[in-house]
Amino acid sequence: MREKLVFEISKKGRVGVSLPRCDVPEEEPERLIPERCLRKDLPLPELSEPEIIRHFTRLSQLNYAVDTGFYPLGSCTMKYNPRVNEEIASLPGLARLHPYQPEELCQGALRLMYELGEYLAQIGGMDAVTLQPAAGAHGELTGMLIIRAYFLSKGQKRHKVIIPDSAHGTNPASAALCGYQAVEVKSDKKGCVDIGELNKLVDDDVAAIMLTNPNTLGLFEGNILEIAAIVHRAGGLLYCDGANLNALLGVARPGDMGFDLLHFNLHKTFSTPHGGGGPGSGPLGVKKALAPFLPVPLVVKQGKRYLLNYNCLLSIGKVRSFYGNFGVLVKAYAYLLSLGSEGLRQVAENAVLNANYLMNRFKDHYHLPYDRICKHEFVLSGARQKKRGIRALDIAKRLIDYGFHPPTIYFPLIVNEALMIEPTETESRQTLDRFADALIKIAGEDVKTLKSAPHHTPVGRLDEAAAAREPNLRWKK
Amino acid sequence: MHYIPNTDGDRIEMLQAIGLASVDELFSDIPAQVRINAPLKLPSAFSELELLEHARQLGAENANIDDYVCFRGAGAYDHFIPSVVKQIVSRAEFYTSYTPYQAEISQGTLQAIYEYQTLICQLTGMEVSNASMYDGASALAEAVLMSCRVTGRDRLLLSQTLHPEYRQVVKAYLQGISVEAVEIPYASGLTDLDWLKKELNDRVAAVVVQHPNFFGLLEEVDEISQIAHRVGALFVVSVDPISLGILQPPGTYEADIAVGEGQVLGNEMCFGGPYLGFFATRERFVRNMPGRLVGATTDSEGRRGFVLTLQTREQHIRRVKATSNICSNESLNALAAAVYLTALGKEGLRKVALLCLRKAHYAWRETAKLNGFSPLFSGTFFKEFSVNCPTSPPKINQVLLRQKIIGGLELKGSYPEHENGLLVCVTEKRTKEQIDEFVESLRKIGEEQ
């Protein structure tokens, strides 16, 4: 099914919306604005309403989605997005608010933000939380700026941030954006930070270490207390990338392990939908010593009233306008209340159980570079299959034919032909078994079938090299 | 827990399959001293019914713009959203899908974003648009960072007529790198061109203005663009996309980067987010752009298809050398913008812009007739204008609230020199009746002085 572009459907004279008549004097724009400031032509498409609905509905049908199938995407936590969250987020009393409306007329919104901040602090073992960052990477940037401001306030200028070789790409990118030199620490044979290496790298020029725990191999950094001691002894801080927090909910808290900062991915751990790439939300929690540097405003409670406090002398300022992705915060808040403290732990337990169950099913069919209990995700290697000329990409594309979204591939970088699988707690054992059956079957399939996969999609494998060589980034007449 | 399919029976069988006796053993690799033994201090689980009731109560403690008449803008605007927008973005195939890395099963999102990029180019007159940034402010911050990369220079000139929060965000983004941001003062509500000419030199990476500016006024963008280009600096402009229904697009006055807040394109005000920042520039800068890009290409059978492209700029490939650290963007909000721009189309967007223009001018003229109220500046404006009030704006707003009117923004907070300044916004949603009532309330307040 191929769908034309809106520009190809457009016909002169069609309109897609009815607008009110002008009930004030209809002055010519030239009388109100100098003619040189007015545009001569507005080259937007012209479609009627039924055409618009059909076009975008047909486009939607070309998408895979959580509501249509299983996404075993490592480090992305593609869990079910509860419907009650959507209903609540669209209530007029929560969706139709101006960000600058007076405090006395947004007490409900401020209370929601205040309570969500408290819950997140409690879950992460942090002392204070900002809800402002719009995504995980934005939380990282905020964290890096706070770390920098913290050291400056102590009269120190540190230049290095240590990042494991298994880290998400956002970690080094965020550190660099804040002017830090990213220094890589190698993983040891067990897939965790090499303590010997770390000891050699840590000195008083290290501002922080950024760790994902469990790491991107799905393994808990068992030496975390020692890592914390090493970094803290040199005066450095520990930043936790919370992408993998789903494994720890109600089980353990980064704040208790020595982490000083932690960002939360509400669009992963806290069930808000990915929206085809966003909006996300990346609140950042910090320990007490770092709280004075958080972005403004902070929601505070005075008696029974909630206020926005802009009066923070040491604050890094703002990382986006207003207060954050409020609509996303509402959904995460609803999710947390649906779970309660008891449900929270069940999430982690079932996510980890599902991952271990699934991992166990692949042991005889794929190389498992780190064969130990995993947390919420695990990484297979397609090394055996590669010997027959089959790449991780081919396996991934073939899974589409079986009705599954491919896992994350070629990441983390330290595993050859990596297939990174995260089932989440919202999948049933039957789904996991069907997925395992498919992936195991693929391991034995012939090269030709795999190389030409997927076979039943609206388009086949696309020429990405041509797309990058001669970029066509917009439609032209 | 109804979001978890596993039953007790499933769990027992799955544990047996792994060879473990209990769920606790799954966590034995976590040091005992950091494992939690008691439940966290969180509320007990709410049933769905209780949760909905609780949320409605929270909502009832807020004034929503269905019940109040909003004359406040300043970066978030009460524009009309056609029903088609909500219907499309509420399709689960869009909102529960992941980032479209697997192109074969993401053609819906990819094509919609390609259309979004094209629509933004059509609207702004620029050559390329990315797939969105977090919001208008962070898009502006990314624009100034890109200006430094492109020019290799380390000084920025930011107009004081830029939204105060945007300036704050730009400065925060610059904290870790050695780039200096200097504010251009304003005269008569507009960027001071004499000052600009004096201070501009070949160290400057970009001149940054907002158009219409924070006070609602149209800047002299043609001239600023020329002044900036004379020393090889880029001209970066933050624009209101609704104003582009009638105003010259940035491409015609040779802007190098055009950014702005896309909330007005079909997204609820939602207490400040999620919104989207649009980001458009010249083709020759494309490899320096931040954020995702969708491109058209073909498959082996020659069928047209869409993919994420030029990913070697991005963090998941380039890591420390990436053009930005952004990963998640505001894809669903960009989809809303695409549907909005398609629904409004050529005629509709012009009409909305004209309605804003005429209604704002009607409100301004009626206000200016009142005793004690006078325009703060004499420049040309679009949908927002600044007035000087006979009494303190907080007092005025208190009175208006009693009539369920959310009045203008008090300028004093960010511009202490305008003690009695009020920034009033009038969109196409305001009726003559509402404007008359607003003005009548101001009249009474003025007379009581």
Side-chain angles (χ1 to χ4, degrees), chain B residues 48-340:
Chain B
E48 186 165 334
L49 181 65
E50 290 161 336
L51 182 60
L52 278 165
E53 194 41 51
H54 174 66
R56 281 194 198 102
Q57 279 170 17
L58 283 179
E61 289 168 38
N62 303 319
N64 78 71
I65 47 145
D66 290 340
D67 298 336
Y68 282 71
V69 178
C70 183
F71 285 93
R72 197 163 291 190
Y77 299 94
D78 181 22
H79 286 288
F80 171 66
I81 303 174
S83 303
V84 290
V85 176
K86 186 123 202 215
Q87 289 296 319
I88 294 299
V89 298
S90 303
R91 287 195 68 89
E93 299 92 328
F94 279 128
Y95 82 80
T96 76
S97 68
Y98 184 64
T99 310
Y101 291 120
Q102 298 294 337
E104 298 88 346
I105 46 173
S106 310
Q107 285 298 299
T109 294
L110 286 163
Q111 183 171 334
I113 296 301
Y114 180 83
E115 292 176 349
Y116 161 83
Q117 291 173 182
T118 305
L119 289 159
I120 291 296
C121 289
Q122 294 177 334
L123 189 64
T124 57
M126 304 298 288
E127 293 169 339
V128 287
S129 157
N130 73 11
S132 75
M133 314 298 297
Y134 303 134
D135 71 336
S138 63
L140 187 69
E142 292 274 13
V144 305
L145 291 174
M146 188 179 111
S147 304
C148 297
R149 282 197 297 278
V150 165
T151 60
R153 300 178 179 183
D154 63 356
R155 200 172 144 90
L156 292 157
L157 299 183
L158 304 178
S159 175
Q160 273 178 1
T161 64
L162 267 165
H163 193 302
E165 293 202 4
Y166 285 39
R167 278 180 276 145
Q168 258 186 307
V169 172
V170 168
K171 286 177 188 167
Y173 268 68
L174 296 178
Q175 276 165 17
I177 52 176
S178 40
V179 171
E180 181 191 12
V182 180
E183 295 204 347
I184 315 170
Y186 65 92
S188 308
L190 295 174
T191 304
D192 186 339
L193 299 192
D194 292 332
W195 188 96
L196 176 62
K197 283 177 203 159
K198 250 193 291 172
E199 292 296 316
L200 195 60
N201 57 37
D202 60 9
R203 264 189 65 203
V204 174
V207 177
V208 188
V209 302
Q210 179 180 331
H211 175 67
N213 70 24
F214 188 70
F215 300 122
L217 302 175
L218 271 57
E219 290 279 358
E220 291 292 345
V221 280
D222 288 292
E223 201 180 338
I224 298 171
S225 179
Q226 285 170 20
I227 295 171
H229 289 150
R230 240 178 264 153
V231 296
L234 301 194
F235 179 40
V236 176
V237 65
S238 175
V239 290
D240 170 6
I242 298 292
S243 75
L244 298 180
I246 52 168
L247 294 186
Q248 282 282 27
T252 61
Y253 48 83
E254 300 283 315
D256 299 286
I257 309 174
V259 296
E261 179 49 71
Q263 173 262 324
V264 292
L265 304 173
N267 291 280
E268 296 277 10
M269 289 200 287
C270 209
F271 208 48
Y275 294 171
L276 72 143
F278 61 87
F279 188 110
T281 184
R282 298 176 185 274
E283 218 158 282
R284 68 170 192 268
F285 298 148
V286 70
R287 285 168 206 274
N288 266 303
M289 279 178 90
R292 294 182 186 134
L293 290 165
V294 173
T297 184
T298 51
D299 70 3
S300 56
E301 291 175 38
R303 291 176 291 196
R304 179 173 70 189
F306 302 89
V307 290
L308 290 173
T309 193
L310 300 177
Q311 294 188 64
T312 49
R313 299 164 300 112
E314 294 185 63
Q315 49 74 29
H316 59 288
I317 311 276
R318 190 57 60 88
R319 299 174 78 85
V320 72
K321 292 199 174 116
T323 55
S324 166
N325 71 333
I326 191 168
C327 182
S328 286
N329 58 16
E330 308 294 303
S331 191
L332 197 70
N333 303 87
L335 173 67
V339 180
Y340 178 87

Side-chain angles (χ1 to χ4, degrees), chain A residues 159-331:
Chain A
H159 299 95
K160 291 191 273 190
V161 170
I162 296 177
I163 299 169
D165 52 7
S166 61
H168 298 116
T170 50
N171 293 178
S174 300
L177 186 54
C178 192
Y180 282 115
Q181 182 196 343
V183 180
E184 193 174 277
V185 60
K186 298 246 174 303
S187 301
D188 62 16
K189 280 187 195 140
K190 288 166 75 188
C192 292
V193 170
D194 188 317
I195 296 289
E197 282 271 325
L198 181 69
N199 261 318
K200 278 186 234 159
L201 295 173
V202 171
D203 58 26
D204 61 7
D205 200 26
V206 168
I209 182 168
M210 287 181 102
L211 277 184
T212 308
N213 197 15
N215 65 24
T216 60
L217 294 164
L219 303 175
F220 190 84
E221 292 281 352
N223 291 325
I224 184 61
L225 296 173
E226 196 180 342
I227 294 171
I230 292 169
V231 176
H232 282 156
R233 214 179 296 133
L237 298 170
L238 272 82
Y239 184 98
C240 184
D241 174 338
N244 293 345
L245 194 63
N246 211 43
L248 301 182
L249 293 178
V251 174
R253 311 193 305 171
D256 299 337
M257 301 168 199
F259 284 104
D260 303 290
L261 308 91
L262 157 72
H263 81 252
F264 304 83
N265 294 79
L266 300 189
H267 50 294
K268 297 180 181 182
T269 318
F270 297 95
S271 85
T272 75
H274 272 66
S281 177
L284 178 76
V286 298
K287 287 284 179 68
K288 207 173 261 159
L290 300 171
F293 306 97
L294 287 170
V296 286
L298 288 171
V299 186
V300 293
K301 191 175 179 185
Q302 248 174 33
K304 285 185 174 174
R305 269 176 59 87
Y306 298 89
L307 307 169
L308 289 167
N309 181 17
Y310 285 88
N311 192 13
C312 312
L313 287 177
L314 295 173
S315 165
I316 59 160
K318 290 184 73 66
V319 292
R320 55 152 293 163
S321 57
F322 311 118
Y323 325 116
N325 280 346
F326 179 76
V328 181
L329 305 179
V330 171
K331 295 175 195 182

